[in-house]
Amino acid sequence: VFTADPRAPVVLGQAATRLLQERHYPRAVLAAADLVAWQPYPGDELVMPAWLVIGHGEFEQDNYPEAEQAYLQALALMPEQDSRQADTMEQLASSIYRQGELAAASGQHLAAADHFARVIELTPDSNVRVNAQYDAAISYRQARDLDHANALFRDFRERYPGHELSGGIAAILVENYEAAENWQAAALELDAITASSDNTAVQREALYLSAQYYMKAGNTSQAIARYRSYAHNWPEPLQMRIEAMLSLADIYASESAPGKRHFWLNAMADAHESAGPAATDRSRYLAASSASELADWYYDEFQAISLGHPLKETMRLKRKAMDRTISGYERVNSYGLQEFGTRATYRLGQVYRQLSIDLMASERPAGLDTLALEQYELLLEEQAWPFEEKAVSIHEANARRAWQGTYDKWIESSFTALGQMMPARWGKQESRVSFSREVR
């Protein structure tokens, strides 16, 4: 009514404040809006509180964008070191944060993330900033903006290492890096989980998974270290331990490191044999496969040793290699798997047969006359014959498996070997009878 009276703006400001106190929020906002639009301008000391009334009134009515703008206007007019500045910053942060919550609730994840990020940008020291940063990261993640999400998660963990939310960030980052196929970063986070978790099952699984991800990242040295740690420190469950050993054996095969590969092949067989009731069909298969490869390695070493002069010394080396080879193939047979058993039996027969052949082909001593050479040949035959007999016996045992309906290339090879060693008995060929229907 009395717009020309200099006291009118003061009275209007007092009315707006009282309406806010009485929770008449719409009327308080209208009164304060009249004051900020008053002409001539009534001065910052009256307009700044009016903006606060608008901010509080709009906030209470859930009009958060309008509240945000009002708080920004109030802060722009507020003198430095004003006692109301801290509370106004908190209200500003809350009004922005609520906008983020509403956007998230409606499924607008990218918009929600941007609102939460504005809390960090505009009110970095507010109390709500902690939740805003975490929620921004979550919202960016839901919007599939993983780069922004990961940056916020990492920063949160660094800023608030003791916060309860920081403990779960590593697992979230692992999933994000998996989605982006950033295997190196995922493996590093799994390392952190292994080191920090109090749950032994979580530690174990994180260690195993980190080894796999280092392999995918091409970081073989780190993968080896993790697989080795797993194999040595986690005997149970057997299946994962033996798979870790298999991975190590395969890695060393690709790196042409046979000695290290053989170590882990032997470890797989030992792990199965010591597992007791925990042993599985898978562990038995891997043990048999590993033992078979090791036995083949011993067999190659055995074959490579030539019998020369002096025969006694070279024969000692040959027999030592032979014993190790026999033990290797007997170990294979102990697992009871036909796939490896028929092969092992065939090779056992060949070991004895080879020693017999090598004896007869060994270097003769120099300077023997005809009679002495004949006697030496007889002695060699006496030594070689028991080995050939043993070879025949083993090959016959393998061949008889055909009687029970088992037949593969190794049983067939035993038949071939028997035909060569005992042609009169095993070298016979099936006779085919042909006839003609021709009328003559």
Side-chain angles (χ1 to χ4, degrees), residues 282-403:
R282 171 68 172 168
S283 68
R284 182 169 69 145
Y285 179 87
L286 291 177
S289 175
S290 299
S292 182
E293 183 174 335
L294 288 169
D296 287 346
W297 184 44
Y298 304 148
Y299 180 76
D300 291 340
E301 287 186 330
F302 164 77
Q303 284 191 307
I305 299 173
S306 300
L307 293 179
H309 189 72
L311 181 61
K312 184 177 181 180
E313 178 61 23
T314 55
M315 185 64 175
R316 184 185 65 81
L317 296 175
K318 189 81 169 179
R319 284 300 299 266
K320 183 178 179 180
M322 177 182 178
D323 291 342
R324 188 159 70 156
T325 305
I326 291 170
S327 295
Y329 284 123
E330 287 177 345
R331 187 184 196 185
V332 175
N333 273 329
S334 71
Y335 299 120
L337 290 177
Q338 176 190 325
E339 179 179 351
F340 300 100
T342 57
R343 184 176 188 276
T345 304
Y346 168 75
R347 283 292 178 84
L348 276 171
Q350 290 299 94
V351 167
Y352 286 101
R353 184 186 180 195
Q354 188 65 48
L355 184 58
S356 175
I357 293 171
D358 288 351
L359 273 171
M360 294 307 299
S362 63
E363 181 184 357
R364 276 39 172 182
L368 295 180
D369 59 27
T370 303
L371 181 59
L373 184 60
E374 289 179 0
Q375 292 176 337
Y376 187 84
E377 296 279 355
L378 289 173
L379 287 173
L380 285 179
E381 288 182 12
E382 288 177 3
Q383 290 189 52
W385 176 243
F387 295 121
E388 184 165 340
E389 282 191 316
K390 183 69 173 177
V392 168
S393 175
I394 293 172
H395 280 302
E396 284 181 338
N398 209 29
R400 288 193 186 98
R401 284 173 164 155
W403 284 210

Side-chain angles (χ1 to χ4, degrees), residues 215 220 223-224 227 246-257 261:
M215 277 302 296
T220 307
I224 288 173
Y227 278 130
L246 176 61
S247 295
L248 285 165
D250 289 344
I251 290 171
Y252 287 127
S254 67
E255 294 187 344
S256 300
R261 174 172 171 80

Side-chain angles (χ1 to χ4, degrees), residues 139-191:
S139 295
Y140 277 127
R141 182 174 186 246
Q142 291 173 317
R144 309 311 298 164
D145 187 346
L146 298 182
D147 289 340
H148 275 103
N150 293 341
L152 286 169
F153 277 128
R154 290 193 299 266
D155 183 75
F156 186 98
R157 186 171 56 185
E158 185 176 342
R159 285 176 183 273
Y160 314 110
H163 197 282
E164 61 181 356
L165 292 174
S166 291
I169 285 178
I172 295 174
L173 286 172
V174 169
E175 292 184 8
N176 289 354
Y177 291 136
E178 287 173 341
E181 298 187 354
N182 187 346
W183 307 116
Q184 177 74 18
L188 288 170
E189 290 298 331
L190 287 163
D191 283 346

Side-chain angles (χ1 to χ4, degrees), residues 81-114:
Q81 308 304 321
D82 191 296
S83 60
R84 294 165 292 185
Q85 195 170 62
D87 287 342
T88 306
M89 291 295 288
E90 290 295 336
Q91 285 298 118
L92 173 62
S94 295
S95 65
I96 302 172
Y97 185 80
R98 291 293 180 84
Q99 294 175 65
E101 287 184 318
L102 290 174
S106 64
Q108 301 176 56
H109 300 300
L110 188 56
D114 290 341

Side-chain angles (χ1 to χ4, degrees), residues 383-425:
Q383 290 189 52
W385 176 243
F387 295 121
E388 184 165 340
E389 282 191 316
K390 183 69 173 177
V392 168
S393 175
I394 293 172
H395 280 302
E396 284 181 338
N398 209 29
R400 288 193 186 98
R401 284 173 164 155
W403 284 210
Q404 285 78 45
T406 300
Y407 196 80
D408 59 20
K409 69 175 184 177
W410 302 108
I411 293 175
E412 181 182 4
S413 297
S414 283
F415 274 111
T416 300
L418 287 167
Q420 294 168 349
M421 290 185 290
M422 300 183 68
R425 180 177 179 184

